[in-house]
């Protein structure tokens, strides 16, 4: 209740910042009215406003507008909406006179230049951002039939989602060859995705909660603070921009041996003047456990998810905006022996019950003729978890001790963040223009995870105060220099850590952008997601502890890229070629330190260093909005400076485990009209090195293994029937995931299996059928 009460208090505090009223306009009887059209059709919900003022409105459902009692004088009238070029007209407002001003908007060339926020913490178009920002839209999540963000992020360049446990199936996001704890996941720009949440959180966030996902790879994301070494993923929840509804039901068969049923619902509402609105989502998922190798132990755990939430906004005046969001995510997860017994009576099992509540509030006011903006924000999450991780011993005394005191545990995790940000645009700055950004924020995270039967406890509290400053200087129309500095004081680090970053963007060639980026970052000496996971091997459990002398890990990152897009009236063709290099100083690694009565123990220590280097090639094409192709391939290498011992008694290795040198994806969609759509997608994962510990009947020695490569192929078709009397459409869709059943074939069997020995695609061949009812 603490987190919920605190969030409620902070929301009220931010709401109190909003001006309750403004002075009524002076009566001038000077009015402007008109309509907005494109290609002969009226466009609803277009923003119409006087540039540099707080006076504005939007077009109604018929594409018409009216502004009354305008101030007398010369003004610039602006028409602006998503998907069209901004239009401006010079007008002269006279006392007591009305005039008609109509706009004809020009469509932008498809979607090569979206507005993004993650790269610079300010709104910029993709081609104008000095840092590469990739965007994964909700439509792309629908095309690949992603149930959650874990399934969707696989279809982004430089990213790889892997399953890391055969029993509980926790997932990890790897960016540019670095592990999951090197990447920072944001919810609406806020770092409330805690180290604990990183274990299962990507599977708990349903796809229908998401408006879009913005991805910044590499050190260019250093402005977001600790743990953003590999990159930043910003999950932006659905924003109400029209009144609509969308409900769907999907049933999926997992290789003919388990069902997976999902219900989704979305509802958006807007007031007539579009000054307030709400977007609501609900999600329910029930998946049966799946056993692939016939040993009666699951490879996919049973899941029961129930989630709901909302995103709300209120514009008290044209230059102010208040956004509130909250989500409640509830999940039951069970993997191991497939039995109806309680978890502690199963031969081997993991059971998790999560209750996650997260929310936030953002207040923004623009002033100084829209050249300045002040932002205040607060966000937080509370996770309460009951869990069991256990295996029944073979001896009678051990069995009795286990039954009398089974290894159940509890987890309580609280994350809070608050901050302020000030942006100011200098229209004249040393021959160009400059947007300066200053901010301060505080992040608090507290986790208490205990299993009394194992004498296991993580009691970790982190506090970080951060200050950041950034200069986004457009030196000339085709040359931009971005410079930023962040200062962090982390309670587990003795000194203040300064993290600079610099980026240079050149647009001198038509349709082409060249970028160079350098940045530094750090990870605090603390427990992260994988450190809080207890694995099975050889009939026992393994745990991770921290070296008492562990110190922070530092990074030094470089990247360079060229981006080219050739847009015409009918098609777009483009590519991005990026090279990257990151060196880690005092790199974290796991050192085997022997075993105790419960199983193997590992200690997180500092190593000499490590380097990750490689390149990513992205290809994209779109013909007449009917045929669209996106593809990406990453070739990289991840090496420790000095070899690391992963398995006692075996030769140390310099190569990172579970890090393939090649991986990529492809999506291709065909939409000849508004009713029919067909798509194929694919994910490629190259060979990787893994540690395989003995214990299972088929694995008698500890050894390194090299996995085969995998190519996963997916397909989907859909058709929409128009329901004109209801202003709606009924969509029927079907498809198959992992068509060729490219799935791991050498899983360990039985209760003594090595649960970390898992690789390749996250699920076997799965066939699904669904229906969707949505408004037009």
């Amino acid at each position: 209740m603490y987190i919920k009460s605190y969030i409620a208090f902070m929301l009220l505090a931010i709401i109190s910042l909003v001006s309750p009223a403004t002075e009524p306009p002076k009566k001038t009887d000077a009015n402007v009215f008109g309509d907005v059209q494109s290609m002969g059709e009226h466009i609803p919900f277009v923003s119409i406003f006087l540039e540099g003022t707080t006076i504005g409105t939007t077009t109604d459902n018929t594409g018409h507008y009216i502004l009354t009692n305008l101030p007398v004088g010369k003004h610039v009238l602006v028409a602006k909406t998503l998907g069209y070029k901004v239009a401006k007209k010079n007008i002269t407002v006279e006392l007591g006179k009305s005039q008609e001003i109509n706009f004809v908007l020009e469509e932008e060339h498809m979607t090569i230049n979206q507005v993004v926020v993650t790269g610079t913490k300010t709104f910029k178009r993709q081609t104008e951002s000095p840092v590469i920002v990739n965007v994964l839209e909700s439509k792309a999540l629908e095309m690949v039939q992603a149930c959650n963000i874990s399934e969707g992020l696989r279809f982004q360049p430089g990213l790889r989602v892997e399953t890391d446990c055969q029993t509980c199936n926790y997932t990890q996001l790897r960016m540019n060859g670095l592990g999951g704890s090197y990447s920072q996941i944001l919810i609406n720009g806020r770092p409330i995705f805690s180290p604990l949440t990183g274990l299962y959180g990507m599977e708990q966030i349903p796809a229908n909660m998401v408006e879009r996902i913005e991805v910044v790879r590499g050190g260019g994301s250093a402005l977001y603070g600790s743990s953003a070494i590999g990159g930043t993923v910003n999950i932006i929840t659905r924003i109400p921009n029209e009144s609509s509804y969308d409900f769907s039901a999907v049933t999926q068969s997992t290789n003919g041996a388990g069902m997976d049923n999902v219900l989704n619902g979305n509802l958006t509402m807007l007031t007539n003047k579009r000054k307030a609105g709400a977007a609501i989502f609900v999600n329910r998922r029930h998946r049966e456990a799946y056993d692939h190798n016939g040993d009666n132990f699951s490879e996919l755990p049973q899941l029961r998810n129930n989630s709901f939430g909302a995103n709300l906004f209120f514009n008290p005046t044209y230059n102010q905006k208040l956004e509130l969001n909250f989500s409640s995510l509830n999940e039951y997860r069970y993997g191991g022996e497939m039995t109806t017994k309680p978890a502690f009576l199963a031969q081997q099992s993991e059971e998790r019950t999560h209750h996650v509540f997260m929310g936030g509030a953002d207040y923004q006011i623009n002033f100084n003729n829209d050249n300045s903006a002040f932002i205040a924000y607060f966000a937080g999450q509370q996770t309460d978890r009951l869990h069991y991780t256990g295996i029944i011993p073979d001896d009678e005394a051990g069995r009795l001790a286990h039954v009398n005191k089974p290894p159940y545990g509890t987890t309580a995790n609280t994350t809070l963040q608050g901050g302020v940000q000030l942006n100011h645009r200098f229209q004249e700055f040393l021959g160009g223009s400059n947007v300066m950004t200053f901010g301060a924020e505080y992040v608090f995270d507290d986790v208490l995870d205990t299993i009394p039967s194992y004498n296991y406890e993580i009691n970790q509290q982190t506090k970080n105060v951060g200050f950041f400053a950034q200069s986004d200087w457009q030196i000339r129309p085709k040359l931009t220099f971005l410079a930023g500095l962040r200062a962090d004081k982390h309670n587990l680090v003795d000194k203040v850590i300064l993290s600079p970053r610099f980026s240079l963007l050149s647009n001198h060639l038509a349709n082409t952008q060249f970028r160079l980026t350098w940045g530094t970052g750090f990870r605090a000496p603390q427990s992260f997601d994988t450190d809080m996971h207890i694995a099975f091997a050889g009939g026992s459990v393994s745990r991770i502890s921290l070296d008492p002398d562990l110190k922070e890990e530092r990074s030094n990152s470089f990247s360079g890229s060229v981006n080219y897009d050739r847009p015409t009236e009918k098609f777009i063709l483009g590519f991005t070629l990026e090279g990257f290099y990151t060196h880690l100083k005092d790199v974290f690694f796991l050192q085997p330190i022997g075993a105790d009565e419960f199983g193997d123990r590992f200690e997180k220590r500092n190593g000499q260093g490590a380097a990750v280097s490689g390149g990513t090639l992205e290809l994209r094409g779109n013909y007449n909005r009917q045929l669209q192709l996106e593809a990406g391939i990453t070739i990289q290498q991840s090496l420790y400076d000095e070899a690391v011992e992963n398995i006692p008694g075996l030769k140390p290795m310099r190569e990172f485990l579970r890090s393939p040198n090649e991986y990529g994806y492809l999506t291709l969609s065909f939409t000849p009209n508004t009713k029919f759509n067909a798509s194929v997608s694919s994910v490629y994962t190259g060979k990787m090195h893994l540690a395989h510990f003995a214990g299972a009947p088929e694995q008698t020695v500890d050894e390194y293994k090299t996995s085969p490569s995998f190519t996963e192929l997916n397909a989907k078709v859909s058709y929409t029937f128009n329901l004109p009397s209801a202003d709606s459409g009924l969509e029927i869709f079907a498809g198959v995931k992992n068509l060729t059943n490219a799935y791991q074939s050498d899983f360990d069997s039985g209760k003594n299996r090595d649960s970390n020995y898992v690789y390749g695609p996250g699920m076997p061949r799965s066939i699904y059928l669904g229906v969707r009812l949505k408004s037009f």
Side-chain angles (χ1 to χ4, degrees), residues 163-237:
T163 300
D164 281 352
C165 179
Q166 185 183 3
T167 305
C168 72
N169 269 205
Y170 84 88
T171 57
Q172 184 176 176
L173 174 67
R174 291 180 177 265
M175 301 179 69
N176 282 0
L178 291 169
S181 55
Y182 289 90
S183 304
Q184 190 173 64
I185 298 180
L186 312 173
I187 307 293
N188 292 317
R190 311 303 170 212
I192 58 172
F193 215 80
S194 71
L196 174 68
T197 311
L199 273 174
Y200 304 103
M202 289 196 301
E203 284 197 291
Q204 292 169 349
I205 295 180
N208 71 312
M209 173 180 165
V210 177
E211 176 73 20
R212 70 182 188 276
I213 301 174
E214 297 183 2
V215 178
V216 176
R217 302 189 301 271
S221 57
L223 203 64
Y224 286 93
S226 173
S227 304
I229 291 174
T232 296
V233 173
N234 189 7
I235 301 164
I236 299 172
T237 56

Side-chain angles (χ1 to χ4, degrees), residues 198-358:
L199 273 174
Y200 304 103
M202 289 196 301
E203 284 197 291
Q204 292 169 349
I205 295 180
N208 71 312
M209 173 180 165
V210 177
E211 176 73 20
R212 70 182 188 276
I213 301 174
E214 297 183 2
V215 178
V216 176
R217 302 189 301 271
S221 57
L223 203 64
Y224 286 93
S226 173
S227 304
I229 291 174
T232 296
V233 173
N234 189 7
I235 301 164
I236 299 172
T237 56
R238 287 185 181 262
I239 301 170
N241 51 31
E242 61 180 350
S243 295
S244 65
Y245 68 87
D246 189 337
F247 298 96
S248 65
V250 185
T251 184
Q252 178 172 282
S253 171
T254 307
N255 209 22
M259 298 305 297
D260 188 355
N261 299 310
V262 180
L263 295 175
N264 290 320
N266 291 87
L267 184 66
T268 58
M269 300 167 286
L270 287 175
T271 60
N272 289 334
K273 294 185 178 180
R274 298 174 62 82
K275 288 186 175 292
I280 301 169
F281 81 91
V282 293
N283 171 271
R284 178 183 183 272
R285 182 186 190 187
H286 281 196
R287 184 180 77 183
E288 296 176 343
Y290 168 76
D291 173 21
H292 188 71
N293 59 1
D295 65 346
N296 201 42
F297 288 78
S298 65
E299 272 66 58
L300 297 182
Q302 176 189 359
L303 293 178
R304 295 196 174 194
N305 298 75
N306 289 282
S307 309
F308 66 91
N311 200 343
L312 307 95
F313 79 89
F314 171 53
N315 295 339
T317 64
Y318 191 76
N319 66 327
Q320 295 186 79
K321 187 172 187 177
L322 175 67
E323 288 189 1
L324 309 174
N325 65 83
F326 73 89
S327 302
S328 177
L329 312 175
N330 302 281
E331 181 188 77
Y332 173 79
R333 178 183 294 250
Y334 173 87
E337 184 186 13
M338 297 171 67
T339 176
T340 57
K341 301 175 185 178
F344 76 96
L345 294 180
Q347 290 296 306
Q348 179 250 37
S349 70
E350 291 189 54
E351 185 180 54
R352 310 278 185 262
T353 302
H354 285 87
H355 299 289
V356 182
F357 178 82
M358 59 179 64

Side-chain angles (χ1 to χ4, degrees), residues 486-490 493 495-499 520-523 552-554:
R486 182 178 173 105
D488 287 282
K489 180 60 184 76
H490 197 286
V493 180
K495 57 185 180 298
V496 174
I497 294 183
L498 299 179
S499 301
T520 68
F522 78 101
R523 285 204 304 161
E552 73 275 7
E553 180 182 36
R554 299 299 302 269

Side-chain angles (χ1 to χ4, degrees), residues 539-558:
S540 60
V541 295
S542 63
R543 288 137 299 136
I544 298 172
S545 58
L546 304 185
D547 182 350
D549 297 323
L550 190 69
K551 61 182 179 180
E552 73 275 7
E553 180 182 36
R554 299 299 302 269
S555 70
N556 207 338
S557 299
F558 301 86

Side-chain angles (χ1 to χ4, degrees), residues 554-726:
R554 299 299 302 269
S555 70
N556 207 338
S557 299
F558 301 86
S559 67
S561 67
V562 55
N563 184 93
Y564 174 80
D565 287 284
R566 183 188 175 192
T568 69
E569 184 179 350
K570 291 289 186 181
F571 68 85
I572 297 174
L573 292 175
F575 72 88
T576 300
L577 180 62
E578 179 190 29
F580 56 86
Y581 173 83
T582 296
H583 185 265
L584 304 173
K585 181 182 177 182
D586 299 319
V587 62
F588 296 155
F589 76 98
L590 296 181
Q591 175 67 44
I593 56 173
D596 59 15
E597 59 183 304
F598 306 113
D600 294 331
R601 296 182 60 224
F602 296 84
E603 186 174 74
K604 180 190 277 191
R605 297 179 178 177
N606 290 112
Q608 183 67 29
V612 178
S613 59
T616 295
L617 174 64
E618 305 171 41
L619 300 174
R620 51 191 169 269
N622 191 316
Y623 176 73
N624 205 27
R625 292 188 175 86
Q626 294 182 350
L627 189 64
Q628 180 166 321
L629 168 72
E630 291 188 10
I633 183 70
T634 298
I635 299 175
Q636 62 91 40
Q637 188 177 48
S638 304
L639 297 173
Y640 291 103
D641 292 349
E642 295 180 352
V644 169
E645 181 185 24
N646 299 291
I647 303 176
L650 295 187
K651 182 180 179 181
M653 293 181 62
R654 289 189 61 202
E655 294 85 356
F656 282 23
L657 296 183
R658 310 187 66 86
S659 185
N661 289 341
E662 308 92 20
Y663 54 92
Y665 79 101
L666 177 144
T667 62
L668 177 65
S669 65
F670 177 56
T671 311
N673 52 53
T674 58
K675 296 183 177 182
F676 178 79
N677 176 267
S679 63
V680 294
S681 59
S682 181
V683 175
Y684 172 76
T685 304
K687 298 178 181 180
M688 68 181 83
H689 300 297
L690 302 100
H692 195 181
F693 291 93
E698 55 273 271
Q699 187 65 27
T700 57
V701 296
D702 297 341
E703 63 179 334
Y704 291 112
K705 288 283 190 72
T706 300
S707 72
S709 59
F710 287 90
T711 300
E712 178 184 350
L713 184 63
N714 318 292
K716 179 182 178 180
V717 293
S718 66
Y719 189 87
T720 301
F721 298 90
N722 291 336
L723 305 175
S725 60

Side-chain angles (χ1 to χ4, degrees), residues 412-426:
N413 177 217
T414 301
T415 308
L416 301 172
Q417 189 227 18
V420 293
Q421 181 175 322
L422 178 66
N423 305 326
H424 180 73
R425 179 189 297 110
F426 293 92

Side-chain angles (χ1 to χ4, degrees), residues 404-459:
N404 291 329
K405 191 179 180 182
Y408 281 95
T410 61
T411 309
N413 177 217
T414 301
T415 308
L416 301 172
Q417 189 227 18
V420 293
Q421 181 175 322
L422 178 66
N423 305 326
H424 180 73
R425 179 189 297 110
F426 293 92
Q427 300 286 5
E428 301 292 336
F429 185 89
L430 300 179
S433 62
N434 198 338
V435 176
M436 302 291 292
T437 299
F438 303 93
E441 60 187 21
Y442 174 76
V443 180
F444 168 88
D445 184 75
D446 180 81
V447 58
L448 176 61
D449 186 21
T450 63
I451 305 178
S453 296
Y454 292 150
N455 296 324
Y456 172 85
E457 177 180 283
I458 291 180
N459 188 358

